[in-house]
Amino acid sequence: VFNKRIKQVLGYLLFSLGIYKKLLGKRAVVVAFHRVSDDAIASSINCPPNDFRRYCRFFRRFFDVIDLATLIKHIDSGESIGGKLAITFDDGYEDNAMNAAPILKEMGLPATFFITTNFIGSDHQTFWDIDHGVESKWMSWDDVRQLDNDGFDIGGHTLNHVDLAEVDFGVAQSEIYGCRDRISSELNRSPKHFAYPFGGADQISDEARQAVMDAGFNCCTSCCHGLVSPGDSVDNLSREAITTWHVSPYQFGFEFVHRALQR
Ligand SMILES: [Zn+2]
């Protein structure tokens, strides 16, 4: 209905006039990034560092940015989550440590990094990066440990980025437990949060979701559009992914406020 520029202007008005607060009400936002790089411009899941900084400013200006653990605690205890926002990253790209983490640190913002453990320290090329003609570059375990030491949260995203609804349940289990065990042994602490690969509503089965919780994770997030409402089930949290389709934080903001109105 609206083109992106109009959405951007409407988003600017919704946020700068404070109208978004009323429209979002008691809901929280969990955002999902993938790459933060100047070298992966052709990738649709990239957000260049300068744009990433704009998003971070936007989050800090209009939301109470908290870590995922605090959000989960609030959902469990029934405390208010209205106006809260959590920042997350999927897959484990090297640029997360190189480009995103320094900006987050500078701005004092917490974040969760969901890592595909067999990609870490490898030269594995994903089909989606190959499709876009960009190179997949992964963090090393030293990078991951540095993020952990800096107070960032490290979460699980399976061993090999499999579609947990498509593989046999035995494979799904080993992808979930193997990922947990690798993070535990590398960081000497067990990961608490899990994001399922691809993140579409039909890319995890109920039994795989149960296996995630049985493995000791205390939340499971998707990449389905949507906000988090009080009383939402922590094993099925929606996230709003930021892609190159978004021209600015205000358009992104418009999109999720607009969707929230339609529910
Ligand atoms: Zn992923």
Side-chain angles (χ1 to χ4, degrees), residues 51-161:
D51 291 351
F52 179 71
R53 190 184 290 277
R54 286 185 199 107
Y55 277 99
C56 288
R57 284 203 199 104
F58 175 82
F59 300 152
R60 201 170 62 171
R61 178 166 171 202
F62 296 112
F63 292 90
D64 179 17
V65 182
I66 59 174
D67 61 22
L68 204 48
T70 308
L71 181 66
I72 304 297
K73 213 165 66 190
H74 283 10
I75 293 171
D76 283 340
S77 68
E79 247 176 286
S80 163
I81 56 167
K84 312 281 186 204
L85 182 143
I87 302 170
T88 69
F89 296 82
D90 282 10
D91 299 346
Y93 284 101
E94 182 186 51
D95 54 59
N96 292 183
M98 269 172 47
N99 301 330
I103 295 170
L104 292 165
K105 271 163 80 173
E106 181 192 312
M107 301 183 76
L109 298 174
T112 294
F113 295 87
F114 293 108
I115 59 171
T116 310
T117 48
N118 280 354
F119 291 179
I120 301 302
S122 84
D123 58 5
H124 179 82
Q125 301 297 304
T126 65
F127 68 81
W128 58 90
D129 282 335
I130 292 170
D131 279 353
H132 287 103
V134 296
E135 192 187 355
S136 308
K137 284 186 175 173
W138 307 107
M139 290 192 269
S140 65
W141 281 106
D142 280 342
D143 293 329
V144 175
R145 275 186 288 272
Q146 186 62 52
L147 290 177
D148 179 56
N149 286 335
D150 287 342
F152 292 112
D153 175 41
I154 306 299
H157 197 48
T158 71
L159 287 171
N160 298 297
H161 210 281

Side-chain angles (χ1 to χ4, degrees), residues 32-48:
F33 289 96
H34 290 82
R35 305 194 73 157
V36 180
S37 168
D38 283 320
D39 302 326
I41 299 300
S43 164
S44 59
I45 54 169
N46 182 49
C47 180

